[in-house]
Amino acid sequence: MSVFYDHLINLEDLHQELLEFKLAVGEHYQLLQLADSALHHEVVGVCLDCLPTEHHEHFLVKFKDQPNDPGLLVFLKERDPEIENKIRAKSTEVKDRIRKDLRQVKAKHS
Amino acid sequence: MSLFGLFPKKENSYETLNQVLTSHENVAKQNLHDKHPHVKPLLEKHGVDLAKIRHQGAKVATTATILGALLAFPHLIHAPTHHPTNPNQGTFQTKVLSDSNTKPINNVAPSSNTHNQAPNQVASTADTTIQNSLTPPAKHNDNDEDDSNEHGHQGHQHGRSELAPPKEHGLHDLGYHEGEKRNPDKVSAPGPHPEKTAEHGEGES
């Protein structure tokens, strides 16, 4: 199931990074889900930043019911035209942090 | 030799990676709740788990798809049909369902091989019970009716529920065979003892 900002965050590079550890499929996707969860929390924070507080509940409920609804991004863009760039920048920042730690673990165990 | 040394690298790397990524997740959660402290109660109120948002969305979409499909194609859940192979049963069930103006609970379409499906129907106790409250026990043949009227059995009988449809003709459990009435008068009295028969035969001769 995709979310409305999937095209702005790209999990493929983390997926490739984790593949190098040659983990079991279940372990691999469990770790990928943790990274995904970290990204969700950071990106939702960015989304809420651009919305007035009174709209936060409405946004969260809509996001829970239809996480892949493109209307959510339209709704956010009405409030902040730069929201896409902000989401992109935040996801890059989080992924860089994660990738850095993954490489440290890899160096430690190789 | 210890088995722990067989795959040390893989296990350790997974454990380490798990710890690293969990800490990243916790930091992200903390950042969100620090920046927007009112969000935590909102998430709890609406049961939103951002870590599983993909699964939650998938559940809603899947449920909607299945419900839509079942509404569009009711025959997928074996809704009552208008062409039962056993006319008596089908007509009766359809009539009861339409009279009670309720949604069909046990939507097993009546068929001529109902007797062969006994194990499946016994397994669905809840459905059978609910259906039984809507409809009287189905009559399968005259022998069954005579049997239940004579003894007025309720509940289980000879290890099988009366609610369950009978086997091939419903009398195997009772030790009877097809076409044989359960009538005590019909049982022939035991004959004379073989010795008496022999003595009688000798006396006559």
Side-chain angles (χ1 to χ4, degrees):
Chain A
M1 185 75 184
S2 60
V3 292
F4 72 92
Y5 50 78
D6 262 346
H7 62 289
L8 303 174
I9 62 167
N10 186 10
L11 278 175
E12 182 59 28
D13 43 0
L14 285 182
H15 172 64
Q16 292 297 333
E17 201 89 31
L18 281 172
L19 278 178
E20 293 178 16
F21 290 92
K22 294 177 181 172
L23 300 164
V25 177
E27 292 173 344
H28 178 93
Y29 282 99
Q30 198 174 347
L31 295 176
L32 201 58
Q33 196 181 346
L34 284 173
D36 193 36
S37 171
L39 276 166
H40 281 317
H41 283 88
E42 294 282 7
V43 171
V44 166
V46 172
C47 295
L48 295 180
D49 283 344
C50 78
L51 290 175
T53 312
E54 60 266 24
H55 290 306
H56 286 182
E57 185 171 7
H58 172 73
F59 173 78
L60 289 170
V61 171
K62 284 277 181 190
F63 184 44
K64 182 205 171 192
D65 290 343
Q66 290 182 315
N68 60 347
D69 183 7
L72 287 166
L73 191 59
V74 175
F75 178 67
L76 290 172
K77 276 164 89 173
E78 285 172 3
R79 266 69 184 180
D80 186 353
E82 287 298 308
I83 188 67
E84 286 178 302
N85 289 335
K86 288 180 180 176
I87 291 173
R88 214 176 268 128
K90 179 57 83 177
S91 72
T92 306
E93 178 195 324
V94 175
K95 283 193 297 182
D96 283 347
R97 285 203 310 254
I98 292 174
R99 201 181 296 119
K100 188 182 163 190
D101 282 352
L102 292 183
R103 285 176 183 166
Q104 280 183 357
V105 174
K106 193 179 172 187
K108 191 178 165 186
H109 289 282
S110 60
Chain B
M1 182 183 166
S2 171
L3 291 174
F4 292 110
L6 287 176
F7 306 104
K9 184 180 169 184
K10 186 179 165 185
E11 284 186 0
N12 288 338
S13 64
Y14 171 71
E15 290 296 326
T16 315
L17 288 169
N18 196 21
Q19 286 172 6
V20 166
L21 291 171
T22 306
S23 72
H24 276 285
E25 187 192 26
N26 290 335
V27 167
K29 279 181 187 174
Q30 196 58 45
N31 286 344
L32 176 64
H33 295 147
D34 286 348
K35 213 188 290 182
H36 302 284
H38 59 283
V39 163
K40 193 173 182 179
L42 289 178
L43 294 175
E44 288 171 357
K45 179 184 168 188
H46 295 287
V48 183
D49 186 354
L50 291 176
K52 296 174 182 171
I53 196 76
R54 291 182 193 275
H55 300 287
Q56 289 172 336
K59 268 183 200 169
V60 172
T62 308
T63 309
T65 307
I66 292 170
L67 282 175
L70 292 178
L71 286 171
F73 308 105
H75 66 274
L76 292 176
I77 53 171
H78 303 288
T81 60
H82 295 291
H83 307 289
T85 50
N86 185 344
N88 293 333
Q89 268 190 329
T91 309
F92 180 70
Q93 189 175 24
T94 309
K95 184 177 183 301
V96 169
L97 289 172
S98 61
D99 287 350
S100 60
N101 198 20
T102 56
K103 193 178 175 182
I105 295 165
N106 188 356
N107 291 318
V108 177
S111 63
S112 59
N113 61 349
T114 308
H115 304 296
N116 297 332
Q117 295 172 348
N120 294 336
Q121 295 190 3
V122 171
S124 59
T125 315
D127 287 351
T128 314
T129 311
I130 295 167
Q131 189 189 27
N132 195 54
S133 68
L134 295 173
T135 60
K139 287 195 286 185
H140 294 286
N141 59 33
D142 293 335
N143 294 338
D144 284 355
E145 190 184 21
D146 293 342
D147 189 50
S148 58
N149 288 341
E150 275 180 28
H151 301 284
H153 288 301
Q154 297 291 326
H156 286 77
Q157 180 186 46
H158 302 283
R160 288 184 82 237
S161 170
E162 273 196 339
L163 301 178
K167 291 183 179 177
E168 189 179 352
H169 52 76
L171 293 174
H172 274 311
D173 288 343
L174 309 178
Y176 288 82
H177 301 286
E178 192 166 19
E180 187 178 353
K181 283 270 187 183
R182 189 179 183 188
N183 187 357
D185 299 335
K186 197 181 171 186
V187 177
S188 58
H193 196 274
E195 288 180 3
K196 287 184 179 178
T197 311
E199 286 171 8
H200 185 67
E202 286 171 4
E204 279 183 356
S205 63

